């Protein structure tokens, strides 16, 4: 299985029984994971409240605050100034 052909095999290796086993420490690996989460958990053009974002992330890992923070920091989710609304970035 070649990591260079597709990021999907690499990302799937991070999961066991539909749950993320650990948040990768390496930035490139974490970025692959975050793009996967953005694409699979959040619909384009839809606004999400913080509890909705938390619930979606909680389905894959208990440390949903860290995943939410990583997604926002990476620019994959945007957040309103008051933190009340999130959107998937294009």
């Amino acid at each position: 299985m070649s990591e260079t052909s597709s990021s999907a095999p690499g990302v799937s290796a991070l999961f066991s029984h539909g749950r993320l086993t650990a948040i990768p420490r390496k930035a490139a690996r974490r970025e692959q994971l975050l793009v996967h989460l953005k694409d699979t958990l959040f619909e384009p053009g839809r606004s999400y409240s913080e509890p909705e974002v938390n619930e979606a992330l909680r389905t894959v890992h208990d440390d949903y605050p860290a995943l939410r923070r990583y997604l926002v920091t990476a620019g994959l989710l945007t957040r309103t100034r008051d933190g009340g609304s999130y959107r998937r970035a294009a």
Side-chain angles (χ1 to χ4, degrees), residues 4-59:
T4 55
S5 63
S6 169
S7 65
V11 170
S12 65
L14 299 172
F15 289 84
S16 176
H17 305 290
R19 300 277 296 166
L20 182 62
T21 56
I23 299 171
R25 293 176 195 259
K26 291 185 179 178
R29 193 89 163 114
R30 189 168 53 236
E31 180 76 17
Q32 283 182 327
L33 168 68
L34 296 174
V35 169
H36 171 76
L37 294 177
K38 175 196 75 140
D39 291 345
T40 58
L41 298 177
F42 303 102
E43 298 173 30
R46 179 174 167 215
S47 289
Y48 293 87
S49 66
E50 186 168 300
E52 288 175 315
V53 171
N54 293 345
E55 191 56 41
L57 294 172
R58 194 181 285 123
T59 66

